[in-house]
Amino acid sequence: MSREDRDCADLPIHDPAIGRGHVLTRGPIMNRSEMEMSGPGVSRHSRTVKRRWWGRLRQQWKLLGLFEIDQQHEFYSLTCMMKEGLCAAVQNTIDNRLPDELSEDDYTLEVTQIHKDFRMETYAGPVFASLRRSLGMTEKEYQQSLSSEGSYLQFISNSKSKADFFLTNDKRFFLKTQSKREVRFLLSNLRIYMEHLEKYPHSLLAKFLGVHRIKIAHQRMKYFIVMQSVFYPDDRITARYDIKGCEVSRWTDPAPEGSQIIVVLKDLNFEGQFIQLDQQRPWLLRQVKIDTAFLQTLNVLDYSLLLAHQPLHQDELSQSLSFATLIMRAKKSVNATSSPTPTVPGVVAEEDSTLLSSELNTTQCHVTEIHSGNSATDIASPEEDKIEQQSRVGTESADLQTFQSQNRRLLPNFKNPLHVIDGPEQRYFIGIIDIFTVYGFKKRLEHLWKSLRHPRQTFSTVSPPAYCHRLCQWVQDHTK
C-alpha cells in the first residue's frame, strides 16, 4: 500500500445515521487487548488510555469537523470551567469602568479569580476590553456568548501544533490553547498590535479579545486566547481555505459530496479560482501589504490568510446602494469609535435617518429624494446656511483625508463587517491568523532542511521578508 493510500485509509466517514459529534473512521484494526478496553468492566485507567488513543487519532485526521462537547466528551469538564471563569472575568470588567486612556499598568495587569475547582488568570483585561469596545461589542454581549448554556464546539484541526480549538455555541468566538512562549510573545507585542489596529481599524489581522490561564488541581496549567471568528456568521459559507502562498503540503482532500463535515482547504485546492472583488480589490491588496509588513517587523512567519466565500442573495445582487446609505457607511468607516449595526445590507437604520437631510446638503451630488418633516425652528437664513455648509464641507474633506490615510473602506451592514468584503456575486470572509511563529534558530534550520528536501518547490518556512512578499503576490495573482 502506498503512503498516499495509507493516509486515505485514516479519513473519517460521515454517517447521517450517527448523531452529532460522532464520526466513523476507517482506521487501524484494534488488537484483542485494545478491544477488551471497550468492555463493560473497563477500568478508569483504561478509559483514560482509550481517550488518549482517540485524541491521537483525531490529530491525524485529514478532514476537519465540529463536534459538540457533551457530557461524555473528554473536554467537557475543562470547557465548563472555562465558561465559568470567563463569565467572572468579563463581569469584573463590567463592574470596573474602563479608563479613558490605557496606561502601562493596564498592559501588565494580571487578575486572578479563585473558583471552587480551579483558578483563572486574566492578562491585560482593560486592554482587550478596550479593543472589544472599539469593535462595537458590549461586555454583556461578549459575556453571554462565552458563557451561554449551549455547549462549546470542538474544532478538529490537522494543525501540526498540539493546540486544542473550541468555538462558542453561536460560533462567534474562537478559543485556542497556546504555549506559554506564544502567550508571552503576544503580551510583549500587545501595545504595538493595538497601535496597528488603531491606525488601521479595518486590518485583516485576527482580533484577539482575551488572554487567560486556567489552573486545575493536579493538572498542568493551560493558557488560551479568545478571538473573533473570521468565519462568522457561517450559515451559507460554501468553501473555506487556509492560504500560505506555497506548494509543499498545501493540499487537503475535499469532503465527500453531501457530507456535513467542515473541511478547510489549502492553496493547491484554490488553483484556477479567483477572488472576484472589482472595486474592492485595490483596498484588499493594500491592506494585505500593510498587515504583512507589520508582521515582518515582528519577525514572524507561517501565518495564514483565512478565506471563505458564500453566494450573495438575489436581493443583495440587485441592490443599488442609496446615496444616503453610502453617507452613513462612510461615517461608520471614518469614525473608529462607532460600531457597525447588524442591519440588512444597503439599508439605513431608522435612528440614522433623521441625520441624513443635513448630511446630504454637504455633498456636491444631485439628490432628488428630500426628507420632509422639518420644523420651522430648523430653518436658517441663507447666509447662515452657506457658512454652515462651508464648515461641513471642510469637515467632510478632513474626514476623507483621514479615511484615505488609514486605508479605511465602507463597512457593510453586517454582523462581522471587519472581515467581510462583498464582490459582485460572492461575499468573502478574509482574515490573517497564527501570527506567533518567530523566525528563530530552529526555523532557520528547518528552512535549510526543507531547501534540501524540496528543491525547486515553495514551502512555508522561509524568512519573514520572503514570506511577506510571497503571500502578497499570491493575493495579487488570485484576485480580480
Side-chain angles (χ1 to χ4, degrees), residues 26 29 32 36 88 97 176 254 279 367 372 411 424 436 443:
R26 279 198 304 268
I29 299 175
R32 182 173 180 178
E36 290 174 352
R97 182 176 175 273
K176 179 184 178 184
Q279 296 179 357
V367 181
S372 59
L411 287 175
F436 302 115
K443 284 297 174 181

Side-chain angles (χ1 to χ4, degrees), residues 323-324 327-328 331 353-372 374 378-382 384-394 396:
F323 187 61
I327 290 176
M328 295 314 303
K331 286 175 70 67
S353 61
T354 56
L355 303 175
L356 295 180
S357 180
S358 60
E359 293 294 335
L360 291 173
N361 289 332
T362 65
T363 67
Q364 298 179 0
C365 299
H366 298 287
V367 181
T368 58
E369 185 176 348
I370 305 296
H371 286 259
S372 59
N374 291 336
D378 293 330
I379 301 175
S381 66
E384 290 175 342
D385 188 56
K386 183 177 180 180
I387 293 173
E388 185 179 357
Q389 285 190 20
Q390 290 175 347
S391 174
R392 286 176 178 171
V393 169
E396 293 291 335

Side-chain angles (χ1 to χ4, degrees), residues 412-460:
N413 287 334
F414 203 67
K415 293 180 179 179
N416 182 20
L418 292 177
H419 291 294
V420 174
I421 307 176
D422 283 357
E425 298 181 354
Q426 297 278 343
R427 173 168 291 145
Y428 297 93
F429 298 74
I430 302 177
I432 297 175
I433 64 165
D434 296 339
I435 63 173
F436 302 115
T437 304
V438 177
Y439 191 59
F441 179 70
K442 288 184 178 180
K443 284 297 174 181
R444 293 174 188 272
L445 286 180
E446 185 178 334
H447 169 74
L448 179 60
W449 176 73
K450 287 186 176 181
S451 298
L452 298 173
R453 185 181 181 187
H454 305 289
R456 297 182 297 278
Q457 286 185 286
T458 57
F459 46 84
S460 62

Side-chain angles (χ1 to χ4, degrees), residues 197-372:
L197 295 187
E198 183 178 359
K199 187 174 182 181
Y200 303 103
H202 300 175
S203 169
L204 299 171
L205 295 181
K207 307 304 184 294
F208 300 112
L209 306 177
V211 175
H212 307 270
R213 181 175 70 176
I214 187 170
K215 178 64 175 72
I216 305 170
H218 312 299
Q219 295 186 29
R220 292 183 62 184
M221 292 183 292
K222 282 185 179 289
Y223 293 86
F224 67 94
I225 60 172
V226 183
M227 55 186 174
Q228 188 176 22
S229 175
V230 174
F231 300 154
Y232 176 81
D234 70 341
D235 303 342
R236 297 186 298 110
I237 288 178
T238 55
R240 298 166 174 82
Y241 297 88
D242 179 301
I243 302 297
K244 292 183 183 290
C246 57
E247 301 169 319
V248 176
S249 300
R250 301 308 297 165
W251 169 268
T252 292
D253 291 328
E257 187 175 351
S259 170
Q260 298 299 313
I261 297 177
I262 295 175
V263 181
V264 179
L265 305 171
K266 297 181 180 179
D267 301 62
L268 297 179
N269 299 95
F270 197 81
E271 285 306 303
Q273 301 181 62
F274 292 92
I275 306 171
Q276 305 274 0
L277 291 177
D278 286 356
Q279 296 179 357
Q280 294 269 23
R281 182 175 184 265
W283 179 88
L284 177 64
L285 293 178
R286 184 164 183 253
Q287 192 60 54
V288 170
K289 185 176 181 179
I290 290 170
D291 287 334
T292 54
F294 170 72
L295 296 178
Q296 183 179 330
T297 65
L298 297 182
N299 195 38
V300 297
L301 71 159
D302 218 23
Y303 43 88
S304 297
L305 182 76
L306 282 189
L307 168 66
H309 57 78
Q310 63 179 207
L312 292 175
H313 281 301
Q314 190 61 40
D315 58 341
E316 294 168 336
L317 286 170
S318 59
Q319 186 163 227
S320 58
L321 297 181
S322 69
F323 187 61
T325 299
L326 289 176
I327 290 176
M328 295 314 303
R329 289 195 182 181
K331 286 175 70 67
K332 287 194 301 182
S333 292
V334 170
N335 184 4
T337 60
S338 64
S339 60
T341 53
T343 57
V344 178
V347 177
V348 181
E350 276 187 30
E351 59 270 23
D352 295 333
S353 61
T354 56
L355 303 175
L356 295 180
S357 180
S358 60
E359 293 294 335
L360 291 173
N361 289 332
T362 65
T363 67
Q364 298 179 0
C365 299
H366 298 287
V367 181
T368 58
E369 185 176 348
I370 305 296
H371 286 259
S372 59

